[in-house]
Amino acid sequence: MKTAQDLRTLLQSIDHKSYPAYKSTQGIYRFPGYLLSIDHVQGDPFASPSRVSIHIDGKTAGFPTELYDTRPKRTALQDHLTRLFYGEIDRFNFRAKGSGKSGLLSVSRCGQEILERSACTLNPADGSLILRMQIGFPAGGRTIHSGELIRILYDFLPDCVNDSLLYKNLDKKKCQEVRALCEDQEFIRAQLRERGLAAFVANGSILPRLSGVSERPMKKAVPFVSPASLEISMKLPNRGAIKGMGLKKGITLIVGGGFHGKSTLLKALERGVYNHIAGDGREFVITDSSAVKLRAEDSRSISNVDISLFINHLPGGRGTGSFSTEDASGSTSQAANVIEGIEAGTSLFLIDEDTSATNFMIRDGLMQKVVADREEPITPFISRVRSLYEQAGISSIIVAGSSGSYFHTADTVIQMKEYLPFDITENAKAIAASWGGAVTPAGDFRIPDFRRCPRPAEGLRNQDRLKIKVLGREGIQINRSSTDLRYLEQLADGEQLAALAYLLVYASRHLMNGQRTLTEIVDALEQRMDREGLASLTDSSYLASDLCRPRRQEIFACFNRCRELRF
Ligand code: ADP
Ligand code: MG
């Protein structure tokens, strides 16, 4: 094994040489307390920065097993360490001067959600730790300034590692708080299953965000208070007693005047599939982890989806048992989203009328009189929502501000008033009954056959040249084909999009053979991530410094939107 001194000697010998000489530093070096691995060296000062990882053995890292003995706790600890390390290196960023990205130091930036990332991984078998980061190797023009890199690697990085990755130097109380919060959150998730709940929102939760561009909690927001009739209490293992709104499975309707907080509540529920950090305000907003936000998505592509439950006898006698289009309408896209959501194993749909196709959601009595049912291809969601729950076990939480049609079929009706929820179920149902106009349910909910076997088009299978690009939060691009993911509102982090791109490439190279169903393929991908981690998705491991694990539901959704797959 080469030593830190070997690297220093090498760096001194290439000072002032031309940039590519940095390539010779690739390798693993023993530093006091850890191994420094230079995994990939950038080609020039303007290219994306070099990838470096820090490997600490279990004894040196020293984390007590109770901090990582379950997957969620391990994820929470890794997340905590990534944040601490981020805080450390931020102080030194770009302190080394030079051209291009000289002196840039970076590690994944964590947001409000606690997510599994390749940036920091703790091996549960022996407690060893890997931290993956990027460093812009310094240069003046294209001339190596290795003195600056020596300062980073020998004066600065060891302190960062010591202060943020070794248990003995950390704030132990804080580490225990991270563990305790995670245990409490997981306890609530288990309670949802045990008590037949779709979601829980604790009293005192802060649901609104600071602004349209900040996910931080709003200051001076009205804290959440459950209506008395829906209030339940739990005894969390660490925090003790907690009260809040328990939303039962079934059909829940959220109504209320414009600007009274309906969408804000729904958004909090959408994100409740993830755990949140302390201070977020949504720490104890916990939703069924399989929940899927359902919305209209004009112009998405659909490949071979049976949408006949919702759309039938299209003009020209076109069938819908195996529906494909390169350019879906609002209603066909939302119908496909329901069917694909079921295929992805959801047991809860979240729907906001703001982002739904009206003709998919409802069809009122007057319209039925004027345009006969047989001339209307659409069976609206309202005619299926009850049997979707009773026959397929899938609940719905629906925000509706303008249509009263769902009152008849809802199990629970919540009205948002001045940002606070009120249980108006009885009153709403009584008025609806006397008003009349209940929609007749549209017969049995027959779950479609999910034996769709995707095949990748040439562009994805091409073995040699592969260009992967993440287009911010908008989508991913593989070679020349892009997949639009902007409407997957439950993607919480750009690094999840990067991981989706690698999952897509990995699956099309190794799993998609026209024989395996989409479900079998996603199962295999999840097993691989469970066993070997996110880093195993990329052929060249250096690329794996910044991936974040997406949920199963988003893997399905991404594959279903990829125009390079034929089902
Ligand atoms: P709706 O969907 O009912 O029209 P929104 O959920 O979009 O209403 O909320 C309207 C506005 O009120 C948003 O700007 C939101 O940030 C704010 N808001 C929502 N909930 C709260 C709250 N609990 N306290 C303060 N402001 C809130
Ligand atoms: Mg709204």
Side-chain angles (χ1 to χ4, degrees), residues 205-211 218-224 255-267 352 354 399 416 418-420:
S205 294
I206 299 299
L207 307 187
R209 300 295 94 194
L210 194 56
S211 72
M218 179 188 273
K219 293 177 184 127
K220 298 201 186 125
V222 178
F224 189 87
V255 301
F259 232 60
H260 279 257
K262 304 183 295 298
S263 298
T264 302
L265 171 57
L266 195 79
K267 284 222 164 68
D352 194 330
D354 289 358
V399 168
M416 293 304 291
E418 310 266 346
Y419 312 130
L420 287 174

Side-chain angles (χ1 to χ4, degrees), residues 176-244:
Q176 291 298 339
E177 283 167 8
V178 166
R179 171 193 59 80
L181 176 60
C182 177
E183 285 173 355
D184 286 351
Q185 290 166 331
E186 292 304 306
F187 180 85
I188 299 175
R189 279 189 204 286
Q191 284 291 301
L192 293 185
R193 289 189 290 274
E194 215 157 277
R195 300 191 190 195
L197 299 174
F200 176 78
V201 184
N203 291 346
S205 294
I206 299 299
L207 307 187
R209 300 295 94 194
L210 194 56
S211 72
V213 292
S214 170
E215 278 289 301
R216 285 166 197 257
M218 179 188 273
K219 293 177 184 127
K220 298 201 186 125
V222 178
F224 189 87
V225 182
S226 173
S229 55
L230 299 176
E231 189 174 87
I232 60 169
S233 50
M234 296 183 191
K235 194 163 174 302
L236 304 184
N238 299 296
R239 198 176 188 272
I242 188 171
K243 286 184 174 170

